[in-house]
Amino acid sequence: MGDLQGQTYLITGASKGIGREVSLALARAGARVVLLARNSSELEQTTADVQAIAPNSYATPCDLGVPAAIEEAAQTILANEGAIHGIVHNAGDIHPIKPLFDADAGDWGRSMMVNVVGVQHLTQVLGPALQGEHRVRVTTISSGAALRPLASWSAYCTAKAGLDMWTRCLAEEGREHNITAVSVAPGIVDTAMQTTIRSASEEDFPLRANFVGYHEDGQLSNPEDVAAALFPLMTAHSFEQSGQRFDVRDL
Ligand code: NDP
C-alpha cells in the first residue's frame, strides 16, 4: 500500500524518459496512472510495466499537436474518472532546432501546440474531473530554456516560458477549485530528447558541442533519479508553493 491509494494521476509524455519513470513511481505509490503519449510500442511497453504494479492503470494515446486528438483522449478519461487528483504535464518536443530566420512556421507553431497550447486545451477539457471538492495537484515540466534564451531553440524557449506563466495562471485561478500548480525544471537528463539535441547539425545548432560535452563528461542525470526527486513535489506540494517554479537540483 502506498500513499496514493484511491488517487488518479494523468502523466503526459509517459511513454519514455522522465514520464515513464514518473508513471512507474506513481504506480508504486498506489496511484491509478493514466498514461498519455502518441501511439507507439514504447507507450504499450510502459503501460504494461505500469499495469504490472497498478493494474487499473491505462493508456490514452494522443498527439498533443492535434486538438481533435486531445478532445478524444479527454472524453476517454472523463468516461473513466470522476476525479483526477494530479496531472504531470511532462510531454515536450525540442523541434525545431533551427535559427529563427530558417525555422519553418508550421514547425514553430507545432512546438507551441505540443509544449503549451495542448497543455491548456487538455486541462480545460478535463475540467469536470478537476473542479470538484477534491484536492488537485498539477505539475508542469519546465526547462532552464524557459529562463535562458538559447540560439536555435526559439520555439522551445518561448513555449517553456509560456508554460511557466500558464502554471502561474492556473495557480491563481485554481485556488477556488482546490487546485495547486507548480513548474519544475528537471536539469539535464539522459533521455531521447538529449540524443535529438546532440544529433542536430553544427550549422543548425551552434551550441551542439556544449551538449556533446555534457554527455561525455557524465553531467546528465538519469530519469529514474529525476522522477524520485520530483515525487514529493508532484504529490504533496502545498498552497504556499502554488505558482512557484522549482529546479529539481534544489529539491
Ligand atoms: P523524451 O523525448 O524522452 O520524452 C518526451 C515525451 O513527450 C515522450 O513520452 C513523448 O512521447 C512525449 N511527446 C512528445 N511529443 C508529443 C506529442 N506531440 N504528443 C504527445 N506526447 C508527446 O524527453 P524527456 O523525458 O527528456 O522530456 C520530458 C520533459 O522534460 C519535456 O517536457 C522536456 O522538455 C523536459 N526537459 C527535459 C530535459 C532533458 O535534459 N532531457 C531538460 C529540460 C526539460 P511520444 O514521442 O512517444 O509521443
Side-chain angles (χ1 to χ4, degrees), residues 207-218:
L207 297 171
R208 177 182 171 273
N210 296 13
F211 284 83
V212 171
Y214 302 148
H215 186 239
E216 285 174 358
D217 297 346

Side-chain angles (χ1 to χ4, degrees), residues 177-202:
H177 301 296
N178 225 3
I179 300 171
T180 49
V182 296
S183 64
V184 55
I188 307 175
V189 193
D190 196 1
T191 66
M193 183 174 281
Q194 286 292 328
T195 309
T196 302
I197 293 166
R198 292 194 301 275
S199 306
S201 70
E202 294 281 354

Side-chain angles (χ1 to χ4, degrees), residues 52-176:
I53 307 164
N56 57 359
S57 298
Y58 59 96
T60 50
C62 171
D63 184 338
L64 288 167
V66 179
I70 293 175
E71 301 272 349
E72 196 179 318
Q75 290 319 313
T76 303
I77 296 167
L78 290 174
N80 285 299
E81 313 300 332
I84 295 170
H85 303 88
I87 303 179
V88 183
H89 285 295
N90 161 79
D93 191 350
I94 187 77
H95 292 103
I97 301 177
K98 284 264 184 202
L100 64 83
F101 287 111
D102 299 336
D104 176 81
D107 292 347
W108 213 95
R110 185 173 156 80
S111 171
M112 295 304 122
M113 293 298 288
V114 173
N115 290 315
V116 65
V117 178
V119 173
Q120 155 63 17
H121 189 181
L122 182 62
T123 308
Q124 183 255 318
V125 287
L126 291 175
L130 298 171
Q131 298 177 92
E133 296 296 305
H134 63 289
R135 182 79 167 80
V136 181
R137 290 184 172 85
V138 176
T139 303
T140 57
I141 304 301
S142 183
S143 166
L147 303 180
R148 180 175 159 230
L150 285 139
S152 296
W153 285 18
S154 62
Y156 185 74
C157 291
T158 303
K160 288 294 188 184
L163 183 62
D164 275 3
M165 180 52 83
W166 180 86
T167 309
R168 293 171 65 189
C169 291
L170 177 61
E172 203 61 29
E173 293 189 25
R175 285 179 204 286
E176 63 174 293

